[in-house]
Amino acid sequence: MNGQQNPALEGRRTALVTGGARGLGAEICRQLAGQGLQVLVAARRREAAEEVCRAIGPAAVPLALDVTSAESVTEAVREALERFGTIDVLVNNAGVSLDGSRTALDLDDGILRATLDTNLVGAWRMAEAVVPGMVRAGYGRLVNVTSGYGSLALMDSGRHPTYRVSKTALNALTRMLAADLAGTGVLVNSADPGWTRTGMGGPAAPRGPELGADTPVWLATLPEGDTTTGGVFAERKPLPW
Ligand SMILES: NC(=O)c1ccc[n+]([C@@H]2O[C@H](COP(=O)([O-])OP(=O)(O)OC[C@H]3O[C@@H](n4cnc5c(N)ncnc54)[C@H](OP(=O)(O)O)[C@@H]3O)[C@@H](O)[C@H]2O)c1
């Protein structure tokens, strides 16, 4: 990161959004900045993050982050805390969908490992690095961006098997962290954006990023005193999972 904190944003809540340089992540960054938060646009490609930050304005700063690298996670969180003191909001948005049209009986070991490493372990690494600071501060909002494909209640097909399993497991992580963090001021929830027009969702998806980002942003900005935690939500309503 370059430069100093914008004085006008001092004292504001700070949000870190993984995979913030495109798709839903970029829109989540834009909406959080619009609500007055200082936003760290975390991305593998720094130039892409810088471009998003230029479009958003001074409330957004780029941060280099690859969630599959423990070193990168440690360094990014260190940099963020050094600069802003706290990370009040973490949106684990970075995700991959690598299965194509595979089925559950057509397993590619490499795809399974790569998918879990980003969608589950990446989010877990981030939570492990960020949540202790939230607990010390007595405030935190952790949002894991999930999918209806991860819902056991909606598991009507084995297509996209590693993606589905990764999101089911991510929801379990949400539930475990929420239970362990009860009473700390840190709320942990999963948000399903719905099928959205992005690189992953493709051009046929019915929702635009603005709508897709709505539930993640809602959960990321739950007001002080709110007790919503351990849930999986779509369109701001509980999703059967
Ligand atoms: N679009 C949908 O219909 C839909 C539906 C349900 C859930 N979701 C979920 O929504 C989230 C965002 O998806 P999207 O639709 O915006 O997809 P996208 O356009 O493909 O964007 C994925 C983002 O994740 C980042 N990413 C991937 N691997 C990463 C890593 N190792 N470290 C850091 N960042 C990484 C990408 O960064 P690079 O630019 O560096 O590749 C990119 O910013 C995902 O978790 C996805 O599963 C999407």
Side-chain angles (χ1 to χ4, degrees):
M1 290 185 294
N2 295 318
Q4 295 303 305
Q5 183 175 0
N6 177 356
L9 294 166
E10 256 171 51
R12 306 272 181 99
R13 297 282 187 206
T14 300
L16 190 160
V17 181
T18 70
R22 64 184 170 99
L24 282 158
E27 179 59 21
I28 290 167
C29 289
R30 195 185 68 78
Q31 291 188 19
L32 289 175
Q35 293 205 27
L37 280 82
Q38 172 73 65
V39 181
L40 291 152
V41 178
R44 289 186 287 196
R45 290 170 301 120
R46 192 186 173 84
E47 318 74 59
E50 283 170 353
E51 205 177 310
V52 170
C53 292
R54 270 194 297 277
I56 292 175
V61 294
L63 182 67
L65 173 68
D66 179 344
V67 301
T68 63
S69 159
E71 294 73 34
S72 175
V73 167
T74 302
E75 179 54 20
V77 171
R78 191 197 62 72
E79 263 190 69
L81 290 175
E82 190 177 285
R83 181 153 175 192
F84 295 107
T86 57
I87 299 169
D88 307 299
V89 174
L90 169 63
V91 182
N92 277 322
N93 163 80
V96 293
S97 175
L98 305 171
D99 288 321
S101 59
R102 283 176 183 278
T103 67
L105 290 176
D106 180 21
L107 181 64
D108 180 305
D109 194 58
I111 289 178
L112 174 64
R113 285 168 197 276
T115 304
L116 291 177
D117 200 22
T118 302
N119 296 6
L120 173 65
V121 185
W124 207 324
R125 282 188 190 104
M126 287 303 300
E128 198 182 15
V130 171
V131 165
M134 291 176 165
V135 173
R136 278 194 298 278
Y139 178 95
R141 301 289 180 262
L142 199 173
V143 181
N144 289 323
V145 179
T146 187
S147 164
Y149 275 6
S151 168
L152 292 174
L154 308 173
M155 202 75 71
D156 57 356
S157 140
R159 289 188 63 220
H160 311 290
T162 68
Y163 182 76
R164 284 180 190 273
V165 164
S166 72
K167 295 298 189 180
T168 308
L170 184 64
N171 291 344
L173 178 66
T174 292
R175 183 59 73 86
M176 290 189 293
L177 290 176
D180 284 352
L181 294 167
T184 64
V186 181
L187 305 178
V188 187
N189 291 287
S190 284
D192 169 21
W195 186 21
T196 306
R197 286 187 297 280
T198 63
M200 185 184 295
R207 300 160 76 84
E210 200 171 329
L211 193 54
D214 178 72
T215 297
V217 168
W218 167 62
L219 290 168
T221 55
L222 290 172
E224 201 95 36
D226 201 294
T227 55
T228 306
T229 196
V232 178
F233 295 90
E235 297 188 8
R236 299 195 183 199
K237 296 191 195 74
L239 180 77
W241 71 280

